Amino acid sequence: MEIFMWWLDLELEHKEWLRENLRVTELPLTVLQGIAEAGGPHPDDPGGGLSAADWDFIETQSEFVD
C-alpha cells in the first residue's frame, strides 16, 4: 500500500521519529507496530518495509503540522 494511504493514520510520535531518523535501516518495534496499525507494511522486516520512495515522501512531502 502506498504511504500516502496510511500516513495520515500514523500516530504523530511515530511520524516525528521517522522524520528525525530518515532512512535508518532498522526501526524500533513501536514504530513498526504503529506503521502496521495505520495500514502500512507489516513489521516482519526490521526496516519496516519502507521503500526509497516512502522515505522520499517522509522527507519531502509529509507535513510537519499533523
Side-chain angles (χ1 to χ4, degrees):
M1 180 180 297
E2 298 290 326
I3 188 170
F4 63 86
M5 297 180 77
W6 55 264
W7 181 259
L8 293 176
D9 295 327
L10 187 63
E11 291 185 28
L12 183 59
E13 68 183 89
H14 301 313
K15 290 178 185 179
E16 290 174 345
W17 192 93
L18 290 166
R19 288 179 184 127
E20 293 169 3
N21 298 277
L22 284 173
R23 304 183 193 281
V24 296
T25 56
E26 193 167 325
L27 304 177
L29 184 57
T30 56
V31 175
L32 291 171
Q33 290 171 333
I35 290 171
E37 289 170 8
H42 195 271
D44 288 341
D45 176 5
L50 298 177
S51 67
D54 293 336
W55 285 115
D56 289 345
F57 175 89
I58 293 167
E59 183 175 14
T60 62
Q61 301 296 317
S62 67
E63 295 185 17
F64 285 86
V65 180
D66 290 307

